[in-house]
Amino acid sequence: MNSPLLLPAFYLPPVSYFHAIKQHPSETLLLEKYEHYAKQSYRTRAKIATANGVLDLIVPIVHGRKERVAVKDIRINYEHDWQRLHWLSLQTAYRSSAYFEYYEDDFRQFYNREHAFLLDFNVAQLELLLKCLKFNKTISFTEAYAAAEADVDLRQAIHPKQGNYWPAQPAYYQVFEERHGFLSDLSAVDLLFNQGPQSKNFL
């Protein structure tokens, strides 16, 4: 039996996240619930391609006292209407892509209802993306934080401030490619909206 792949739960995860999933033979994805929340990571940040280049979509969180908080306890902040802005940005960026309308209703739900906790929000998107990308995977969760819970531990490996986790990513058509060239390792929705059912072939 293959050891599960240990991953953090990201907001609309980047393409490299799903490349790692495709490369790992395990049927189980082990998501980390007990790590301390990490600032400026893909846990609250997704990158999309717009007419003006790469845009970061950032989910605001409720900042409490200064002690470190487990990611499972991080709450989403709804004081400002970020959901409307994120959905408008996605529509503006991908309305002219080949498959946006095909997936539009599936993704709109994340911007029409409120999830109290960041982890629940991210896991719900991951479940949808796994389905859209045709991965038959089971999601489980850590029961405590441990230094090494799996043979393949990617909790810190995929990060916007580090180098590209998958430098050999193949190019695919992007809406604004003529303006900016190919932009690698954006959110997997960029791949999905541009390539649709063929997306898994690029992973």
Side-chain angles (χ1 to χ4, degrees):
M1 181 176 177
N2 294 311
S3 173
L5 176 63
L6 180 55
L7 292 161
F10 287 161
Y11 173 46
L12 298 177
V15 170
S16 58
Y17 187 94
F18 293 97
H19 165 71
I21 290 173
K22 186 176 181 181
Q23 297 305 305
H24 197 272
S26 175
E27 295 180 358
T28 301
L29 305 180
L30 183 62
L31 297 185
E32 177 60 69
K33 288 177 64 175
Y34 291 91
E35 65 179 355
H36 290 145
Y37 169 72
K39 296 179 181 179
Q40 298 184 340
S41 74
Y42 286 123
R43 290 156 186 81
T44 53
R45 180 183 307 245
K47 294 180 179 291
I48 64 171
T50 73
N52 295 319
V54 176
L55 174 66
D56 285 356
L57 302 179
I58 300 173
V59 178
I61 63 168
V62 176
H63 293 279
R65 292 167 293 179
K66 294 297 183 182
E67 69 263 21
R68 294 183 175 184
V69 180
V71 71
K72 70 179 181 65
D73 296 321
I74 295 294
R75 290 180 175 271
I76 298 176
N77 189 335
Y78 292 98
E79 289 182 4
H80 303 289
D81 195 5
W82 63 268
Q83 288 176 291
R84 183 184 66 82
L85 294 175
H86 283 207
W87 184 239
L88 181 61
S89 296
L90 287 165
Q91 288 179 302
T92 302
Y94 297 110
R95 176 61 69 192
S96 62
S97 66
Y99 294 95
F100 179 78
E101 290 186 0
Y102 183 79
Y103 298 107
E104 181 177 5
D105 290 342
D106 290 328
F107 285 90
R108 182 189 286 115
Q109 62 176 310
F110 298 114
Y111 305 96
N112 285 343
R113 57 166 292 208
E114 294 184 2
H115 288 76
F117 291 95
L118 178 67
L119 182 66
D120 295 337
F121 182 58
N122 288 353
V123 170
Q125 295 163 39
L126 176 58
E127 289 173 340
L128 174 59
L129 281 163
L130 290 171
K131 178 181 177 181
C132 292
L133 293 169
K134 302 176 183 177
F135 282 109
N136 184 20
K137 300 287 186 179
T138 300
I139 294 176
S140 62
F141 298 93
T142 57
E143 297 181 358
Y145 187 84
E149 286 214 22
D151 290 341
V152 181
D153 180 351
L154 298 183
R155 288 176 292 186
Q156 308 301 326
I158 304 173
H159 195 285
K161 302 295 183 183
Q162 297 174 5
N164 194 337
Y165 174 75
W166 185 25
Q169 178 186 341
Y172 54 87
Y173 172 78
Q174 293 174 325
V175 175
F176 302 106
E177 186 172 353
E178 289 187 3
R179 187 175 302 186
H180 304 296
F182 177 71
L183 300 172
S184 66
D185 211 23
L186 300 178
S187 167
V189 298
D190 182 85
L191 173 61
L192 190 66
F193 294 156
N194 283 302
Q195 297 298 324
Q198 302 304 313
S199 295
K200 194 174 183 181
N201 296 336
F202 291 88
L203 298 173

